[in-house]
Structures are given as C-alpha cells and as structure tokens.
Amino acid sequence: METVSNPATAARVLAARVLSVRTVGTTAVLAELSGLHDVLALQALLLEQPLPGQVDVLAAAETVMVRADSPAAARRMASLLLELDLTAQSHAEGKLVTIDTVYDGEDLAEVGRLTGLGAEGVVAAHTGQVWTVAFGGFAPGFGYMVGENQSLEVPRRSSPRTEVPAGAVALAGNYSAVYPRKSPGGWQLIGRTAARMWDLGREQPALAAPGDRVQFRAVRELVEVPDPEAPSGSEGPAVTDPSLQSGLRILSPGLQSLIEDLGRPGHAGLGVSAAGALDRSSLRRANRMVGNQPHAAVVETVAGGLRVQAAGDQVLAVTGAPSALTVLTPSNVSDANGTDNQPAEQVREVPMATAFALLDGEILTVGPPERGFRSYLAIRGGVVAEAVLGSRSTDTMSGIGPAPLAAGQLLAAGAATSSNVVGNPELQPDFPDAGVTVLDLVPGPRDDWFDTAALESLCAQDWEVTPRSNRVGMRLNGEPLRRSREGELASEGTVAGAVQIPPEGQPVLFLADHPITGGYPVIGVVVDHQLDLAAQIPIGGRIRFRWAPGHGPAADASSERANASQTTDSPSTDSPDKVSN
C-alpha cells in the first residue's frame, strides 16, 4: 500500500482534516475521516465548492468517496482533499421531516431485550430524539439515520429476512432507517409507516435526503397516502399510446432486453447508482451509425434472441457482441412504388456496426453472439422513453427507469433532424470468448484486509463467470480468498469495476447497477477503460486479473520507500493508493 507520511504540528493535529486518501480505481478516491461529524462537514464543503473534475460525492459512515471525470482529475484530488480544513466547516441543517409510525414491529420485543429498555422504552427512545440522515445507500430513499445518543444500538439479525415490507422502520448498529420498497433485509424491525420515502413524482424524490433531520412520532394507526398520479418511471412499457405507430414492435425480447443510455451519474447521495449501458463504447458506436447524439437511448440485449418489427421505415444499427443479423421481409410488404411484387417471404443478412434500413413490416432478428455477450440496437432518433433523474436507463438494482422490454410492446423512435448524418460503417474491437480475458486492477481501497498470499492468489488463477451474474455484478468462482482481518468493514462507497470479497471468499465484480455502498472489502478495482470489455465476458468465460502497470504490491512497496520523507506540501499524486496526514 503506497503511503505518503505527513508529519503535522500540534496545532494541525487539533484541526479537523481528512486523515488519508485511498485510490478507488482510476477515477475515484476515498477520503477517510475521524467520525461522522467530519464526514458530513466534508460532504457539505464538496457540494458547496466542488473540486475540479468532481462528478459525484458519496458520504458513508467514516468515509467520503469522490468520483472524478478523468483519471487525471482523480490523481489531483488526493492532495486537494488533504489540504482542506474542516474545523470551521458546519454542514447546513436540513429540513425537519416528521414520520408517523406504528410501533408494532416483529423485532420490537427483541430490541427491548437487547437494549434493556423494554418495548415501551424503545419507542420512547426512538421518538424522543431527532435523527439526522447521514448518507444514502442500499436502495433509493433508504437513508442511514444517526440519533443523538446510542441507547438503541443493536446488531443486525443473525438471519436476514428474504422480504421486508415497504415502510418498515428498523434499527441496526447505531442507525435507524425506513425501507422505501419491499426488499430483503437484516435490520431489526420495530414499526411501520405509510410515509413514501421515495417518490419520483416529487421535485426531491427522497423524503429525507442526506443532511435532513427526522422526528418519528408514535401513532395508533396510519393514514394511507394514495399513490401520486405522476408516473413512477419504473413500470409499464416505454410507449403505451397505440396511436404512436413509428418505431419498433417487440416480437420477442430474448433473454433480457433493456432500454439504456449513458446513465444518471450524480445521484449517489440519494442511493441511486449511475446505471446505463454496460458497454458504453458500443452504445456510442451504435448511435454514431444512425446519426444520434451519443447519449440517445438504445436497446441493450444479451445472448441473442431479440426480434423486432419495423412500424414505419426505420434506420437501425447493431453493435457490440458479433452476431448474425437477419431481416425477414413478409410477403405482404409492398415495394417503394406501392406494388406488392414479393410473392414469398425473403430473408437477407445485414452487417454489424453499419446503418441499414428496416422497412415497414420487416422483421430483424439478432442471433446468438459468436463472441462477447451484449449487443446494442440503435434506432435513428433514439428510443423514446420517460427520463428519470435525467436518464432513460433501466436500473435493475433499484427498479428505476423503463421496465424490461416485453413482447407486443411498441418502442417509439424520436424525431431525427436533418443535421443528424448517418455514419459510415466502423470496425468493431475484438470481443472476449469463453477463454481467458485479462483485466487490469488498481489495488484497494481495502487490499490491506488481505495478506500477500491472498493478493498473489487473486492474480495467479482464472476466475469463472457464473450464471448468477447480472447487471449488478459478475459473480466469480475460483479458489476462495481469505481475509487477514477479523470483524466487518463500515459501509462505504463503491464504484463499477470494484472487486468485492464477501466472507465466502468468491469475488464479485461490480457492474453499472451495483449498490452504491457496501460493507465487504474491495481488494481492487478494474481500470475504467476496461469496463466495456468486462461487460462483454460471457457466462462461463474466465477472467485473469493482473495489477495495472505501476500498481500492485511490489510497486506499492517501492513507492512507499521513495515517498517516506515527503510531507503534505508535496504529496505524490501520480497514482496514490493511500495518502495520509
């Protein structure tokens, strides 16, 4: 682990500062602080005065993760964060939210026993203090709230529930929270509320955002609030109006077909990941082919099987995993002069990464990939879908965005302007097959939870991509990695490309729909420019990790010796894995 020492004067020791900065891949850094007060102060400062290149800020229990728009910006952030003085920084007091709660949770009696307060004492303690939303995570609208005392500190359940109802009021550790939607969970349930913690119909979707204060109020019964008229953005087809006739009708969605664009970065504080296309370069390439803007929405499909029929004449392009593209012209489709001169169905093949016409009534079938895993279908004008938090992407983790495509659904095409020029055919990159794909890793931020043997084992074996993989993450199978530390890690921010090691030792490589916070140590992060490649590794394919050039245990040890005498005024920001005050 590369460390830059920073001798400090007694006066500076008393000042509130970032303690250290760890690298998180190539485009993010993790600032470590002494406590939640400093976490909130740093978060408030960065939101008020963003660092150059700052894209997103995510506070957690003891850390603040800052995402940058480039590796160069991320490298500069390390020294900038260490220079910040948080002593006089006070985070703005958020609004006060009152949440009516019926205290009849299944774990209320157990919490009373664990705390020694009894059931009535738990209710009194929970309602008798003001809670502050420290950070978001787990799901949109799920806020980790800290109280004014620790009288309700309790462990998570030893056996998590497979289903916790929406509105459940819960405790775990020093935190309280309200589950915004039905989901699995291991927190202790003490009550329930009808408050809508997440509502896309509101200007601010989260009822209680980070920095807001919450007062729970005990009631005997709940007043159910009807669902708002505004659409949720996560249910129903992208187009439901039958009068919209120009676009693509889904005849078969294949294994899974989703609407995706370049995602919705910048909402991590609300518990929302960026999501978006897993292979971003293929999405951009498809949009160039048909003359769309780079961020236009397309269809992402896996493993072939997608069949669509043109409603009106369309211009399409398919990129990503190389697949056979066949066009069926039904016998009842007329030619350009209106003459039905096609006595029988005709089939033709069209090339990948090339714009082509799909005439009204013609059917396109995307065959199984020869290599790779995901294909991207762009339509001139882009797929019309409702934007949620600035993006039309489907987020499978949170349920935000359009529902997966279904047979019979009509996707409308947006309006293309005359300035949108159809692009020339392009060469596609090589795509991985079922063999071994090499991915470069930047160590950390928690590689120090593993000894040398585990770090060597990570890069000395092939990891198989299991069928349990999805857009949230690729679950890998191999010789398990063992931690060298006991205990659990406080939840902290994660990024796409993070290789997280759960207790069983089998890595999970996070993809675009990953949870924004996690409590398992991340041993390394795939370099950002290889995430497109990682997304194309098929089920059954194998991954071989290697340390990115200039990183890894040997490089860290050498850098540590070289930088041991440097101070805060001249930290090494070339590629810091950890920079400390």
Side-chain angles (χ1 to χ4, degrees), residues 144-364:
Y144 288 78
M145 307 177 195
V146 293
E148 298 169 321
N149 58 64
Q150 297 184 359
S151 62
L152 293 176
E153 182 175 356
V154 291
R156 287 176 169 84
R157 287 172 52 89
S158 58
S159 177
R161 291 181 171 89
T162 57
E163 185 176 291
V164 174
V169 178
L171 297 169
N174 293 320
Y175 301 107
S176 185
V178 179
Y179 282 78
R181 58 185 299 211
K182 183 171 63 177
S183 60
W187 289 38
Q188 307 278 2
L189 307 185
I190 61 172
R192 53 190 170 90
T193 179
R196 296 180 62 83
M197 303 304 295
W198 181 259
D199 183 357
L200 287 168
R202 294 191 295 246
E203 181 178 357
Q204 166 56 269
L207 179 63
D212 289 343
R213 296 165 297 141
V214 174
Q215 177 77 66
F216 290 94
R217 180 170 60 191
V219 297
R220 293 184 180 275
E221 59 182 348
L222 298 174
V223 177
E224 298 290 340
V225 179
D227 290 349
E229 294 293 331
S232 69
S234 62
E235 297 181 356
V239 176
T240 56
D241 186 348
S243 66
L244 294 174
Q245 295 298 317
S246 179
L248 296 175
R249 188 170 301 281
I250 307 301
L251 302 183
S252 173
L255 184 63
Q256 183 185 63
S257 294
L258 306 170
I259 298 173
E260 300 291 347
D261 56 20
L262 291 178
R264 50 177 68 83
H267 301 287
L270 298 178
V272 179
S273 68
L278 297 191
D279 183 348
R280 298 163 295 182
S281 60
S282 288
L283 176 140
R284 293 188 180 99
R285 187 177 300 110
N287 277 325
R288 281 198 302 271
M289 296 295 91
V290 298
N292 290 342
Q293 295 298 315
H295 58 268
V298 307
V299 175
E300 177 185 274
T301 187
V302 298
L306 174 65
R307 294 179 68 239
V308 298
Q309 184 174 34
D313 295 347
Q314 307 298 336
V315 176
L316 309 178
V318 180
T319 60
S323 307
L325 306 178
T326 57
V327 173
L328 171 67
T329 303
S331 59
N332 60 348
V333 174
S334 301
D335 62 14
N337 297 320
T339 303
D340 189 353
N341 59 0
Q342 300 177 16
E345 293 182 338
Q346 297 182 357
V347 177
R348 71 179 190 274
E349 292 191 359
V350 293
M352 296 282 298
T354 301
F356 62 91
L358 193 70
L359 302 180
D360 184 30
E362 291 187 327
I363 297 171
L364 170 69

Side-chain angles (χ1 to χ4, degrees), residues 22 30 42 63-64 92 177 208 211 221 235-236 295 319 329 331 350 401 466 473 482 492 509 528 567:
R22 294 173 180 258
L30 190 72
L42 177 59
T63 60
V64 174
E221 59 182 348
E235 297 181 356
H295 58 268
T319 60
T329 303
S331 59
V350 293
T466 72
R482 303 302 178 194
E492 59 189 24
L509 171 55
D528 188 71
T567 65

Side-chain angles (χ1 to χ4, degrees), residues 37 40-42 44-45 48 86-93:
H37 182 274
L40 295 177
L42 177 59
L45 180 59
E48 182 179 344
L86 307 177
T87 306
Q89 179 67 29
S90 60
H91 55 276
E93 192 173 67

Side-chain angles (χ1 to χ4, degrees), residues 101-177:
T101 304
V102 173
Y103 287 92
D104 59 357
E106 297 177 41
D107 302 318
L108 180 60
E110 176 64 8
V111 172
R113 185 189 68 80
L114 290 170
T115 59
L117 298 174
E120 292 185 0
V122 169
V123 176
H126 198 250
T127 58
Q129 58 183 308
V130 174
W131 299 79
T132 300
V133 182
F135 55 93
F138 177 64
F142 188 98
Y144 288 78
M145 307 177 195
V146 293
E148 298 169 321
N149 58 64
Q150 297 184 359
S151 62
L152 293 176
E153 182 175 356
V154 291
R156 287 176 169 84
R157 287 172 52 89
S158 58
S159 177
R161 291 181 171 89
T162 57
E163 185 176 291
V164 174
V169 178
L171 297 169
N174 293 320
Y175 301 107
S176 185

Side-chain angles (χ1 to χ4, degrees), residues 496-511:
V499 180
Q500 190 182 74
I501 311 298
E504 70 269 17
Q506 301 292 356
V508 179
L509 171 55
F510 280 160
L511 298 179

Side-chain angles (χ1 to χ4, degrees), residues 9 30 48 66-67 80 145 194 200 230 273 333 361 384 398 400 427 480 536 548-549 563:
T9 62
L30 190 72
E48 182 179 344
V66 188
R67 291 197 59 204
L80 295 175
M145 307 177 195
L200 287 168
S273 68
V333 174
V384 173
S398 68
I400 290 177
L427 293 176
Q536 290 291 357
N563 295 313

